[in-house]
Structure formats: structure tokens, C-alpha cells
Amino acid sequence: MTSLYLRNVPRILSQASAKQYQCLYAAQGARNFHSTASNNNTTGAIERPDTRTKCTLIPGDGVGPELLNSVIEVFRAASVPVDFETYFFSEVNPTLSAPLNDVVASISRNRVCLKGILASPDASYSGELQTLNMKLRTSLDLYANVVHVKSLPGVKTRHENIDCVIIREQTEGEYSALEHESVTGVVECLKIVTAKKSERIAKFAFDYATKNNRKKVTAVHKANIMKLGDGLFLRSCEEIAKLYPKIEFEKMIVDNCTMQMVSKPQQFDVMVMPNLYGNIVDNIGSGLVGGAGVVSGASYSADTVVFEPGARHTFSEAVGKNVANPTAMLLCSAKLLNHINLGAYGSMIRNSVDQVLKDAKVRTKDIGGQASTQEFTRAIIANLKPIN
Amino acid sequence: MAARIFMKRPLELGKTFRKASTNLSAFEIQHKSPLVKKQQKIPVALYGGRHAVTMLPGSGIGPELMAYVRDVFRYAGAPVDFETININPNTDESDDLIHAITSIKRNGVAIKGNIETKSEDTEVQSRNVAIRNELDLFINVLNCKSYPGVKCRQSNIDIVIIRQNTEGEYAMLEHESVHGVVESMKIVTQSNSERVARWAFEYAKRHGRKKVTIVHKANIMKLSDGLFLETSRRIAKEYPEIEHNDMIIDNCCMQLVSNPHQFDVMIMTNLYGSIVSNVICGLIGGAGLLSGRNYGDHYAVFEPGTRNTGTAIAGKNIANPIAMLNASVDMLEHLGHQQHADMIQQAIVKTICEDNIQTPDLGGHHSSSDVVQRVIDHIVHSDRTW
């Protein structure tokens, strides 16, 4: 392992410095996820070894620490100018967990965070209804979750050419943590929908579509049953859609949507939906393109972004077995680099992941291979090529 | 004029009237009843610390200048994503224009070049004016500050021109009552004058300015400019710490070219603002240096200070990119990215004042891309402490 680094580091360093200026002009593929300036067809790249960016790192539960270790190794090999501020944060391991306030302060200071998945136990130890994940999201106001479901080269799945973006409101709706038992045996669980947050998420979806040259936005709802709650969400989406005459707007009921997702997923472009539906559709989407190990996601507030895998599974049964797939986490890190104006590094990692998957020689068990996490990471490092 | 239109297109005129009476656009309401407009609040386009900004390149040298802005932003790492909208100057259709205006409403902020309106049809409005009116951008601010390294007639000038931007002579209400007699209306309202005056005095207070000069022609236009003057004087009483005086526009122009250092902040109505800003731009180095800012209650649009298209020098790589770069610096400041703004600003000053890399309009012999390249070099080598 170490010898591989030693072989790679000087090569990458020398190439990177020689091509530094060309890198800056590097053109990017038209639909690269969240490239900083996709409307301009240019990367937002600036390579300055002396200006390093700080980023909060939350390894999370289950295989999270192993996956993030893989990211750190790749960053080191590519000499990415990012420093991590690591916090162990966990709900199932409360004694070791960093306080919520410290983590929130760090993320709001750094503006970016790379995060593994936090396990949410079924039973609450403290009697609180809010999970740690929900607390983190509400304190940072991370209202928009974006999962880009895209077929990966060389990963065999039932459907091909899927390219849709699932945008989920994640600060209200069913996840309000407002439950009570008024009479024994009768539990009421409140679903909160507000016009302000619905308009905000709808506008986020349309702005996302505008920025990434997408053509259509589908609002997913269940307004035929929840006429007031989902009705408000749907009306807010319709209002905002009027401001975007160049983007097609479409409505779909959530049950039909899930069926369409598994039968004809290519019809979807950008989808926007309330909290719980988003959770379900995210998982369907991830299942369609290769599972929880290959889909990346991001949560946005006005000021901060938290990059995390798209389908939230800790894969705790695989802890220490060296079999987890780091693809999702690596794609997250590539998106993170694009977001902080290090697009050249982001594309470098992304291309390497694409290349390794396409070659299909080194792949982890979940997508039909035999390789370990470590072998996969090494293959990614060996395929890092500076862009020109 | 009405008779002329009627003779030219008797059928279409009726249609227009019907359309106007049934379905008035927000613009028509604004320009037929010049009142303060109520804008609907739309969530800000700020996601994960990155702003979305509408970019209207316009025509002439606009597109090339915008390309420079994008280049510079890329190297500066400014967290801004542009939504570019091109408006075709050759059609009479207003689809593009409406799209551009909705886009600014969505994003809240725009950077624009000068948009050409080629049509001479009386029904087609000037698109620049339409954008300002529709978004209720009632303030235009031009910060005229000399660059020490630029050779020009006057040095050490530091004047802020604040101009009413939505009414006055630009009301676009003209008609030919009798053949050969055209009447053009100048609209001055108390509410708009008050907003402008208050904005100007608040600006002076915030930026530690000492004096506000009210520019008018109330000796001739006793009612309209009289109202503007009277309102401004009334507001001035609320700010006793700031000195104020008034000056007639013709005298003002003479004073500007002979002794410009007596001025600090100036407020004026629309047409005078257009003239005075061009006079001062000429004094300190021409159209290619200064940037202007347009503000309403909800939106802000940034553009080069003098609104010239520069069609003659388009594509020749000699247009001065500084004005548009300054506009982009203003935009970054408005969005709260002060550090990026300062970095670009310092790079610009170093380029034209210390390195003397200037385009022909400032007396230099460098091309636009030379200037931009030097600005980028300075940005790449500047210290980033944040």
C-alpha cells in the first residue's frame, strides 16, 4: 500500500504542476453533477497549493469510517488541498460522540462537510423523539437533499441510461418528531407542511434544474388523500413553476411514481417531493443503479453543504470486513471538490471512479466483484490522471 | 402619432387597445400609473453558500466583457453561478425580455451589459428601461472615483451620483395631439422623490459623506422639478449632520468640468442623471472605467456606469474590460463576498495604476485580453488569508 503511494505521489505532483495552467482552462462534461459553472461550460478550478480549504468530516456509523478512510487516501495521493476537521458523531454510541453544538459550529464555520451515515436506532435511549440526524439537519437548516441517480458505466442493472435527480425537503413533513398518545392505544403523528418551506424547496428544485440544464421538474405528492397537507405542497410548486416558463412542470402521485420508477425510470429528470416520499424514492433510485454503495447525495442549506451517500444505510454487518464499496463516498468527495472551486481535482477523482468501474477488473462484492475496499481504493489511485 | 400608427396598421391598433384594457402587464401598470410598486417576495437563490445570478450579456461588447468576468471569477473562486440569458435585439417579441425579468426576480441579482432595442416601432419599449421599471429599480448609483494612474483632465475626483431611475423624462409617455406637435410627459411623484432622497441621505450617512447636492431645473419646470427639490429639502432636514445644497443643472455641468472637487453626493432626476454621469465619466477616463448599480427594494442590477453598447469596437479585442469587472466587484460586495470583491478590486487597481496595462481608450496600447490576463495574474498571486 505505502509503496504504491510512494510511486504515485511524485508522478501526480509533477504532472499536476506542469499542467496547472491548462487545468484551469479544462472544459467539463455538460452534465457533470453540480459543477460550479455548468451553464458556462467551464470548471471553476483554481489550483493554489498554499490556499487550503478546511472541511468537516463526520465518519458516521457502520462502514462509514472505512469509506472515509478510502477518501482520505485518495485525497492524499492526488494531493488535494483540503484539510479535514474530524468529529466522531453517533447516536448509537453516545458516550464517544462529539457534542452536537461543536459539530454544528464546525460545519457552519467551514461551510462544507463530508459525512458518513448515522444510524438511527428504533428505540430512543433518552426518550427524545428527534434523531441525531434530524437535530443536525434542523440546527443547520439543511432543507434540501439532492440525490443524483445516474447509471454508472460497467455496473450491470435492470435499467440503463437512468439520469434523474431526486430533491427532497428534509426539515418538516413526516419527520417533525411530533408524536403523542392522546388516549392509550391511539398515537397521533403530526405531518407539518408550510407554504414557506414548500416554496423554498420548489424554488431550489427549479433553480437546480436551471443551473444544470435540466428540462423537466416532477412534483411528487399524495394530494388526492392528504388534500390539505400535500395540497399545499403541490400548490406551492405550481406557483413557483410559473416563474420558470422554460422548464416543463409535471405532477405525479407518489404511488404511481414508485411504479414508474421501477418500470420506466428514464422518463424522470428532476423530481421534488416532501420528506418521507423522498426517503422512499431515494432508495428506489439507488436500488435501480447499483445499490447504496454507489449513489452520492448532498444536503443544502443557504450557507452550507453536507455531502453524504444518497441512500442512508450504515451497512453495520460489514464493519471490519473490508468489503464495503467506497464509490458513493468518492463521488461525494468529487462533488465537494467541485463545490469549493477545486473542479479539476473533482473531475480527476470522478474520471478515475468511472474508469475503474468501466474496466470492471476491480469491483467490490455488492456490484458482483471480489475485490476488497482497499483494493478498490488502490485501483482508484492508480487511475488518477490530471485533466488537460 | 396615433394617427400615423393608425394609418400604417389600422387593424392591429384595435387589437393592441383591447389587449391593453383587458390584460395590463405589470410594466404597463407601472408606466401608466407611476406609483411605488408592490413586489412579491420570492426566496433568495443561495444554496450551500453559492449565489445564482442572472447574466444579461446584451449586445455589442457585452458578451466579450461577460466572458472576462467569468474568467476572473473562476480564478478568484467567487461562489457565484451565472444564469445567462440572451435577448435577441432584432425581434419585436418581448418573450426573451419577460424571461430575463422573471429570472432576475427569481435570483434577486443580475449583472448586465447594454441591451439593444433595434426596433423603432413606437409600441416596442426600450428594454433597458423596461427592466428598470418592471423591477422597480428606482435608484441608480455611480461611484466616480479617479484612478491615480489614468491620465485624464481632472484628478482626485470622488463623487457619488444618485439618480432617480424609473420616472421623470423616461416615462415614455409621448403623443402627437395635433399633426406636427408632439407632447412628451415628464412624471415626478412625491413618493418616488422621497424614496430617492431618503436613500441618498442614508447612503451619505452610512458611508461618512459630508455633503449632498440636489440637482434640478426648478426655475423653469417649477412644478415637476419643484416637487423634487421641495421633497429633497424636506428629507434633508431629517439629516442635520449632513450638509446639503442645491444647484441648477446647467450651472452644475459647468461647475463639474471647472471645479468638480466641490461635489460629494449628488441627487437628481432621470435625464439629468444620464447627462451628469456621462460628463463625470468623461472627466476621469471615459466609458470603460466606471460601474453603476441599480437598486430597488428587492432587486439589484449591476452594469457598466455609462450605458453604451460599443457596437463599433465589438470583436476587436480593444474594449476596456474594467467597467464590467468593477460591476462584478460591486455585485460581489452586494452578495456579501467582501473578500473576493477586495481581491479583484486590488488586482484591477494594480493592473491599471501600477503596471499601466491599459486599453487604447485610456491611452494605453494593450488589448482587452492583456488587461484581463494581468488582472488574473494578480488574483492568482494575491494572498488569501481567509
Side-chain angles (χ1 to χ4, degrees), chain A residues 1 63-71 73-74 315 318-327 329-330 362-366 370-381:
Chain A
M1 191 72 217
V63 292
E66 297 172 32
L67 301 181
L68 284 164
N69 191 40
S70 155
V71 170
E73 283 177 7
V74 172
F315 202 15
V319 174
K321 291 191 181 147
N322 202 11
V323 293
N325 189 348
T327 304
M329 209 49 108
L330 286 167
V362 185
R363 42 171 54 178
T364 46
K365 276 182 181 160
D366 58 326
Q370 288 297 322
S372 67
T373 310
Q374 222 171 22
E375 282 162 351
F376 188 83
T377 310
R378 269 183 236 159
I380 300 287
I381 293 173

Side-chain angles (χ1 to χ4, degrees), chain A residues 58-101:
Chain A
I58 301 174
D61 298 312
V63 292
E66 297 172 32
L67 301 181
L68 284 164
N69 191 40
S70 155
V71 170
I72 292 170
E73 283 177 7
V74 172
F75 272 29
R76 206 179 295 149
S79 55
V80 175
V82 169
D83 295 323
F84 288 116
E85 226 176 84
T86 312
Y87 285 89
F88 183 76
F89 196 51
S90 167
E91 188 169 6
V92 288
N93 216 335
T95 43
L96 295 176
S97 173
L100 176 69
N101 287 345

Side-chain angles (χ1 to χ4, degrees), chain A residues 323-339:
Chain A
V323 293
N325 189 348
T327 304
M329 209 49 108
L330 286 167
L331 293 179
C332 280
S333 72
K335 281 199 270 180
L336 181 141
L337 293 173
N338 282 345
H339 183 81

Side-chain angles (χ1 to χ4, degrees), chain B residues 47-67:
Chain B
Y47 307 115
R50 295 189 74 89
H51 286 271
V53 167
T54 306
M55 180 184 260
L56 308 174
S59 26
I61 52 174
E64 41 189 290
L65 296 185
M66 288 303 183

Side-chain angles (χ1 to χ4, degrees), chain B residues 260-280:
Chain B
H261 299 102
Q262 62 181 295
F263 296 105
D264 195 349
V265 177
M266 304 167 79
I267 58 175
M268 59 204 79
T269 54
N270 215 336
L271 182 63
Y272 307 153
S274 175
I275 295 165
V276 168
S277 44
N278 275 274
V279 170
I280 301 188

Side-chain angles (χ1 to χ4, degrees), chain B residues 39-241:
Chain B
Q39 299 283 348
Q40 108 199 52
K41 191 100 175 85
I42 299 172
V44 186
L46 167 65
Y47 307 115
R50 295 189 74 89
H51 286 271
V53 167
T54 306
M55 180 184 260
L56 308 174
S59 26
I61 52 174
E64 41 189 290
L65 296 185
M66 288 303 183
Y68 298 141
V69 169
R70 279 200 214 113
D71 268 359
V72 168
F73 271 32
R74 200 141 52 82
Y75 285 90
V80 169
D81 298 311
F82 290 111
E83 181 189 346
T84 312
I85 293 168
N86 290 305
I87 298 179
N88 183 357
N90 295 316
T91 67
D92 288 359
E93 297 296 320
S94 55
D95 290 358
D96 286 346
L97 180 69
I98 291 169
H99 184 225
I101 289 170
T102 0
S103 163
I104 300 175
K105 283 186 178 170
R106 288 193 248 118
N107 294 332
V109 176
I111 182 165
K112 77 184 255 294
N114 199 31
I115 299 162
E116 221 176 347
T117 317
K118 281 199 181 148
S119 170
E120 284 173 4
D121 194 326
T122 45
E123 281 177 50
V124 178
Q125 325 129 356
S126 155
R127 287 172 177 151
N128 290 309
V129 178
I131 288 175
R132 272 175 255 148
N133 283 5
E134 188 82 21
L135 298 172
D136 194 26
L137 301 167
F138 62 96
I139 293 281
N140 176 257
V141 189
L142 197 67
N143 199 344
C144 308
K145 204 160 189 267
S146 301
Y147 281 92
V150 176
K151 269 188 243 104
C152 53
R153 309 218 165 255
Q154 300 278 2
S155 56
N156 266 331
I157 293 183
D158 186 3
I159 304 174
V160 178
I161 303 173
I162 294 171
R163 158 185 178 191
Q164 209 296 330
N165 216 6
T166 50
E167 55 175 22
E169 300 81 357
Y170 286 51
M172 298 194 291
L173 294 174
E174 293 183 303
H175 56 262
E176 189 171 25
S177 353
V178 185
H179 189 69
V181 180
V182 175
E183 289 178 343
S184 168
M185 288 193 204
K186 167 172 175 171
I187 310 283
V188 176
T189 60
Q190 191 183 359
S191 59
N192 268 330
S193 308
E194 197 174 318
R195 284 204 291 180
V196 172
R198 195 169 294 287
W199 203 95
F201 279 99
E202 282 295 330
Y203 180 93
K205 203 165 114 181
R206 222 172 34 243
H207 291 84
R209 296 281 179 160
K210 300 278 173 298
K211 191 167 99 175
V212 174
T213 307
I214 306 155
V215 180
H216 62 96
K217 186 78 182 168
N219 56 338
I220 305 297
M221 281 166 274
K222 291 191 202 305
L223 289 180
S224 58
D225 276 20
L227 177 62
F228 183 79
L229 180 60
E230 187 190 308
T231 315
S232 305
R233 276 184 184 154
R234 180 160 53 78
I235 301 292
K237 287 207 189 89
E238 296 175 27
Y239 298 85
E241 70 276 21

Side-chain angles (χ1 to χ4, degrees), chain A residues 24-25 36 39-40 43-44 46 48 143 203-204 207 210-211 243-244 246 300-305 339 341, chain B residues 42-50 70 74-75 77-78 81-83 99 102 106-107 373 379-380 382 384:
Chain A
L24 300 176
Y25 280 115
T36 49
N39 274 358
N40 314 342
T43 36
I46 173 89
R48 283 279 308 270
Y143 65 92
K203 181 148 188 286
F204 180 93
D207 278 342
T210 311
K211 185 164 123 183
L243 295 171
Y244 298 81
K246 305 226 159 153
Y300 288 82
S301 75
D303 297 318
T304 54
V305 199
H339 183 81
N341 287 308
Chain B
I42 299 172
V44 186
L46 167 65
Y47 307 115
R50 295 189 74 89
R70 279 200 214 113
R74 200 141 52 82
Y75 285 90
D81 298 311
F82 290 111
E83 181 189 346
H99 184 225
T102 0
R106 288 193 248 118
N107 294 332
Q373 191 53 52
I379 287 172
V380 171
S382 62
R384 279 178 229 203

